[in-house]
């Protein structure tokens, strides 16, 4: 049954992303910025709705009161990364437009990547570390000034359930450069949508949004340690079964942030 439901969801994603990608690319000829972003979020809502109906995956969110309420308040979201689910889910939850920092190779994915290329996102060349971070700072500063929040996965890649990757300080370096707070977010998506898995299982994904952590006067590494401690402690609280038998150990890294 899980395989059948997963096939149905994959078909749902396929048959909806093709027309959506075309509509996004055509609409971008006269519509850009925030209006186009909310058009993109509509398809992400279809993907998450399909996961709820076809896969039986529900989400339970706590900590929304920790998000900044001012319209132009900046924030950098640093999110635990276990599967594709949170990539689609976060824009559907947040009251502000988000700009992902991601590897430029994703832009070559037919329809989905083409649509992403029309949005105000920050795509980087991972082989050029210094230039990539300068691009993140320059574009991030402009986007934050417009009230667009930056979202990053500090571990850099999807991490198996119950494990911890190496937290890299790109997000906190950006926060210290721009003076905006960071918001740690724990997500238990691997319980139902494991890393690189085609077959998904029904269940509840917990999303816990932590208190905003000021960056002014902080050092990036110190700030990232605080983010890491909060996220990993929260992961153990939300999903104790995953951490019951062995201590967390760094997972093999596949990407940089």
């Amino acid at each position: 049954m899980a395989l059948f439901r997963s096939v149905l969801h994959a078909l749902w994603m396929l048959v909806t992303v093709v027309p959506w990608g075309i509509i996004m690319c055509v609409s971008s000829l006269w519509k850009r910025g925030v209006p186009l972003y909310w058009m993109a979020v509509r398809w992400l809502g279809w993907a998450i709705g399909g996961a709820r109906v076809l896969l039986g995956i529900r989400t339970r969110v706590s900590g929304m009161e920790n998000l900044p309420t001012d319209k132009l308040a900046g924030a950098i979201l640093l999110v635990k990364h276990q599967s594709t689910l949170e990539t689609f889910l976060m824009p559907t939850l947040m009251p502000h437009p988000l700009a992902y920092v991601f590897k430029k190779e994703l832009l070559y994915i037919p329809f989905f990547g083409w649509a992403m290329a029309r949005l105000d996102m920050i795509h980087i060349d991972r082989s050029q570390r210094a230039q990539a971070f300068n691009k993140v700072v320059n574009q991030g500063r402009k986007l934050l000034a417009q009230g667009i929040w930056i979202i990053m996965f500090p571990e850099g890649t999807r991490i198996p359930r119950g494990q911890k990757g190496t937290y890299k300080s790109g997000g906190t370096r950006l926060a210290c450069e721009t003076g905006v707070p960071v918001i740690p977010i724990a997500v238990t998506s691997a319980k139902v949508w494991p890393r690189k898995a085609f077959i998904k299982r029904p269940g509840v994904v917990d999303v816990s949004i932590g208190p905003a952590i000021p960056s002014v006067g902080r050092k990036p590494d110190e700030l990232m340690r605080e983010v890491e401690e909060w996220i990993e402690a929260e992961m153990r609280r939300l999903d104790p079964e995953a951490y019951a038998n062995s201590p967390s150990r760094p997972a093999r890294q596949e990407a940089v942030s």
Side-chain angles (χ1 to χ4, degrees):
M1 179 59 73
L3 174 59
F4 176 70
R5 297 174 78 170
S6 297
V7 169
L8 284 181
H9 185 251
L11 290 173
W12 167 251
M13 297 277 283
L14 179 62
V15 300
T16 55
V17 76
V18 173
W20 170 78
I22 294 172
I23 291 171
M24 286 286 294
C25 290
V26 173
S27 298
S28 68
L29 296 176
W30 68 85
K31 181 185 296 187
R32 296 301 293 267
V34 173
L36 193 66
Y37 170 85
W38 291 118
M39 284 183 62
V41 173
R42 182 172 300 178
W43 180 79
L44 296 176
W46 295 345
I48 296 300
R52 182 176 62 253
V53 174
L54 299 174
L55 299 174
I57 294 176
R58 295 175 291 118
T59 57
R60 180 168 53 204
V61 183
S62 61
M64 290 292 289
E65 68 278 4
N66 291 324
L67 297 173
T69 56
D70 188 275
K71 186 176 180 179
L72 292 178
I76 297 174
L77 310 183
L78 299 178
V79 185
K80 181 73 176 180
H81 198 15
Q82 291 192 322
S83 79
T84 304
L85 180 66
E86 57 268 14
T87 307
F88 290 171
L89 178 63
M90 288 300 153
T92 70
L93 297 178
M94 295 299 153
H96 280 233
L98 302 180
Y100 280 87
V101 178
F102 62 91
K103 57 185 180 181
K104 68 176 184 178
E105 288 82 359
L106 294 179
L107 299 176
Y108 306 138
I109 299 174
F111 301 103
F112 179 81
W114 302 342
M116 284 182 64
R118 311 307 296 171
L119 299 172
D120 290 330
M121 302 285 175
I122 306 174
H123 46 87
I124 59 173
D125 184 345
R126 295 179 301 170
S127 67
Q128 300 180 351
R129 292 176 179 268
Q131 295 91 329
F133 182 70
N134 289 337
K135 181 178 182 179
V136 170
V137 171
N138 292 334
Q139 287 190 233
R141 195 184 301 276
K142 294 176 183 177
L143 294 169
L144 288 165
Q146 300 170 33
I148 297 173
W149 294 348
I150 309 299
I151 180 169
M152 301 177 72
F153 300 112
E155 292 164 291
T157 187
R158 291 167 291 178
I159 303 297
R161 185 183 179 195
Q163 293 189 27
K164 180 180 72 169
T166 301
Y167 280 70
K168 296 185 273 302
S169 61
T172 52
R173 288 170 64 193
L174 175 60
C176 292
E177 288 275 356
T178 57
V180 302
V182 296
I183 299 176
I185 301 178
V187 182
T188 63
S189 55
K191 290 196 296 184
V192 298
W193 190 320
R195 173 178 178 260
K196 296 185 177 180
F198 177 78
I199 298 178
K200 291 84 175 177
R201 299 183 297 270
V204 177
V205 173
D206 281 293
V207 178
S208 179
I209 303 168
I213 306 174
S215 65
V216 177
R218 303 290 299 275
K219 295 181 178 179
D221 289 341
E222 171 199 4
L223 184 56
M224 182 51 74
R225 283 195 296 271
E226 185 173 347
V227 169
E228 177 181 351
E229 290 171 2
W230 188 92
I231 290 178
E232 292 303 320
E234 189 69 356
M235 291 299 298
R236 284 162 174 74
R237 185 185 73 82
L238 296 172
D239 190 12
E241 178 184 330
Y243 298 90
N245 298 322
S246 62
S248 175
R249 60 184 183 277
R252 182 173 64 86
Q253 297 299 290
E254 298 179 351
V256 297
S257 61

